[in-house]
Amino acid sequence: MTYEQLVVLHAIVTEGTFRGAAEKLNKSQSAVSHMLKKLETEIDIVLLSREEYRPTLTPAGDVFYRQAMRVMQQMQQLGSIAKNLSSTQEAEVFLAVTATYPLKDLLKIIGEVTAEYPATHIKLSGEAMGGSVERLMNDQADIIIASMDGVPADQVEAIPFAQVTIMPVAHPDFEPAQSSHLKTNSEMQSYTQIIVADSSSGAFSQSRDLLPGGLRWTVSDFMAKKEILLANMGWGGIPTHMIEDELASGELVPLNVEGYQPRQSHLFQIRKRDKDIGIVAQNIWEKLQECH
């Protein structure tokens, strides 16, 4: 049994036909068929049923295939480790971080890594909504800190990293803040909701906590959003760590809005499985794990 045979099996299953697998692997269809048949002979298991137009996994083949995918992932990780051990430090490492996460701990890590690898340029980008995911999947970022919303889980390695509480707030003189009773969506539609624009450009765009049919202002970041709320010009959700002082002083107060209770945003440190990770990015990855 060889790794290449497992690659052929994976291609047939994902493409749905021998012809599709051959095109994907840039091999002849006869070569693909021969390699699969050789694998089945070696392990003495019929992996694919050829009775229909599209080959399908047999019950035994399904069990074998799932285990084979684990082996392939381990082989890819082993290959990345081998490359890391023989590589020099990267010229650049790009980190993309959701705008809801406090940067204090991350900046400490970047400072330590910069001192250890001064020749590597660290780029740090704050992103909103789907921006971090888009950068990762388009190979523009090496590591991201983001939620798993919209992330293709089978293509990434993701480790739980932090939780952030998002709370709807407003100025105490804002009319809906004058009472603590639950405000319905229809009641809130005449009040301006301040939202942060999604920094992604297309396929990974997201929208969360938007009041349907309501008035909206869109801003580029949470600092602008906070200033607008302090000016008593709207309401919106903000990570609580950004407004601790304002909540304590009463400059901002929680709102009780239907469907907009304080929520926990679960963040992960994420990297692509199929992307080679250099020694500096690996160092950052490990320090992030130690941090949380």
Side-chain angles (χ1 to χ4, degrees), residues 58-107:
T58 63
D62 183 59
V63 174
F64 180 88
Y65 176 71
R66 282 187 276 113
Q67 186 61 40
M69 292 306 96
R70 297 191 187 98
V71 171
M72 289 179 66
Q73 289 179 358
Q74 291 169 350
M75 287 293 292
Q76 291 169 356
Q77 292 169 359
L78 185 60
S80 294
I81 291 171
K83 288 181 180 179
N84 291 341
L85 293 174
S86 63
S87 68
T88 57
Q89 68 187 81
E90 309 95 298
E92 178 180 283
V93 173
F94 197 117
L95 309 175
V97 183
T98 179
T100 61
Y101 177 70
L103 293 178
K104 181 180 178 181
D105 291 341
L106 180 59
L107 293 178

Side-chain angles (χ1 to χ4, degrees), residues 19-93:
R19 180 179 179 179
E23 291 176 352
K24 180 178 182 179
L25 299 175
N26 197 26
K27 297 179 180 292
S28 68
Q29 187 169 333
S30 60
V32 168
S33 298
H34 175 73
M35 290 182 71
L36 178 69
K37 186 61 179 177
K38 185 176 180 181
L39 173 61
E40 291 178 321
T41 301
E42 289 177 4
I43 62 177
D44 195 24
I45 297 174
V46 176
L47 298 172
L48 293 173
S49 170
R50 282 83 157 175
E51 295 178 0
E52 310 245 347
Y53 168 69
R54 290 184 175 272
T56 56
L57 288 166
T58 63
D62 183 59
V63 174
F64 180 88
Y65 176 71
R66 282 187 276 113
Q67 186 61 40
M69 292 306 96
R70 297 191 187 98
V71 171
M72 289 179 66
Q73 289 179 358
Q74 291 169 350
M75 287 293 292
Q76 291 169 356
Q77 292 169 359
L78 185 60
S80 294
I81 291 171
K83 288 181 180 179
N84 291 341
L85 293 174
S86 63
S87 68
T88 57
Q89 68 187 81
E90 309 95 298
E92 178 180 283
V93 173

Side-chain angles (χ1 to χ4, degrees), residues 12-282:
I12 297 170
V13 172
T14 55
E15 295 300 314
T17 64
F18 284 86
R19 180 179 179 179
E23 291 176 352
K24 180 178 182 179
L25 299 175
N26 197 26
K27 297 179 180 292
S28 68
Q29 187 169 333
S30 60
V32 168
S33 298
H34 175 73
M35 290 182 71
L36 178 69
K37 186 61 179 177
K38 185 176 180 181
L39 173 61
E40 291 178 321
T41 301
E42 289 177 4
I43 62 177
D44 195 24
I45 297 174
V46 176
L47 298 172
L48 293 173
S49 170
R50 282 83 157 175
E51 295 178 0
E52 310 245 347
Y53 168 69
R54 290 184 175 272
T56 56
L57 288 166
T58 63
D62 183 59
V63 174
F64 180 88
Y65 176 71
R66 282 187 276 113
Q67 186 61 40
M69 292 306 96
R70 297 191 187 98
V71 171
M72 289 179 66
Q73 289 179 358
Q74 291 169 350
M75 287 293 292
Q76 291 169 356
Q77 292 169 359
L78 185 60
S80 294
I81 291 171
K83 288 181 180 179
N84 291 341
L85 293 174
S86 63
S87 68
T88 57
Q89 68 187 81
E90 309 95 298
E92 178 180 283
V93 173
F94 197 117
L95 309 175
V97 183
T98 179
T100 61
Y101 177 70
L103 293 178
K104 181 180 178 181
D105 291 341
L106 180 59
L107 293 178
K108 180 180 178 182
I109 289 173
I110 292 175
E112 293 173 355
V113 172
T114 300
E116 189 173 354
Y117 301 99
T120 296
H121 179 203
I122 306 295
K123 296 180 71 173
L124 176 62
S125 174
E127 303 287 342
M129 299 295 183
S132 298
V133 179
E134 181 176 80
R135 285 192 177 275
L136 180 70
M137 301 313 298
N138 289 343
D139 292 323
Q140 296 173 341
D142 300 288
I143 299 170
I144 68 171
I145 295 174
S147 74
M148 286 294 288
D149 294 339
V151 179
D154 62 325
Q155 298 180 38
V156 303
E157 181 180 357
I159 299 174
F161 185 72
Q163 292 185 32
V164 175
T165 301
I166 311 295
M167 177 183 290
V169 295
H171 189 279
D173 293 336
F174 192 63
E175 186 174 346
Q178 299 298 305
S179 65
S180 60
H181 81 273
L182 180 68
K183 315 301 185 302
T184 65
N185 287 344
S186 59
E187 287 180 272
M188 293 298 296
Q189 284 178 345
S190 60
Y191 299 100
T192 303
Q193 182 183 14
I194 314 302
I195 62 174
V196 175
D198 189 341
S199 60
S200 67
S201 60
F204 297 97
S205 62
Q206 301 175 10
S207 61
R208 285 193 293 273
D209 302 331
L210 297 181
L211 184 76
L215 301 175
R216 296 174 192 163
W217 281 9
T218 301
V219 296
S220 60
D221 56 59
F222 278 102
M223 291 305 296
K225 182 174 186 175
K226 179 177 172 179
E227 291 297 322
I228 293 172
L229 299 184
L230 286 169
N232 192 19
M233 299 180 72
W235 70 280
I238 288 193
T240 53
H241 67 84
M242 295 183 182
I243 53 173
E244 289 177 346
D245 292 342
E246 289 76 14
L247 288 173
S249 67
E251 294 175 87
L252 291 175
V253 295
L255 282 181
N256 187 11
V257 180
E258 176 188 2
Y260 294 85
Q261 301 305 307
R263 66 173 176 84
Q264 292 292 317
S265 177
H266 300 273
L267 304 179
F268 295 76
Q269 61 181 81
I270 309 171
R271 63 184 179 183
K272 288 181 71 176
R273 292 187 184 276
D274 63 355
K275 184 174 182 178
D276 292 337
I277 298 294
I279 57 174
V280 181
Q282 180 64 27

